[in-house]
Amino acid sequence: MIDARGFSCPQPVFMLMESMKSGDTYYEIMVDNHAAKENVSRFATSKDFNVEVEDKGNEYLIKVKK
């Protein structure tokens, strides 16, 4: 899991982008602000991944899969 809590955009997107270089088909990224949730989700969708977001109170768990 990618822990992007405490980072503001675009850093969470860059963290996911770097992880995607592995070629895996499933990633989880935890963010703690709405902008990061939206930007990470939009980026993953643009790369043809499906996105599921779980609201964890003040944090969001974003599941990204092919």
Side-chain angles (χ1 to χ4, degrees):
M1 178 171 68
I2 303 163
D3 186 357
R5 293 174 288 187
F7 292 98
S8 57
C9 279
Q11 192 62 34
V13 173
F14 291 150
M15 293 168 80
L16 178 58
M17 189 183 306
E18 187 65 28
S19 292
M20 285 181 164
K21 290 179 182 178
S22 70
D24 291 338
T25 58
Y26 181 77
Y27 307 91
E28 290 185 344
I29 181 167
M30 183 71 78
V31 298
D32 59 3
N33 65 77
H34 181 75
K37 176 190 78 148
E38 294 299 317
N39 291 336
V40 167
S41 297
R42 190 173 15 255
F43 170 75
T45 301
S46 77
K47 298 297 182 188
D48 296 324
F49 280 79
N50 296 310
V51 175
E52 180 183 323
V53 178
E54 290 183 20
D55 190 334
K56 302 279 188 183
N58 293 330
E59 300 174 339
Y60 303 96
L61 175 62
I62 306 168
K63 296 178 180 180
V64 177
K65 56 190 163 191
K66 276 283 188 189

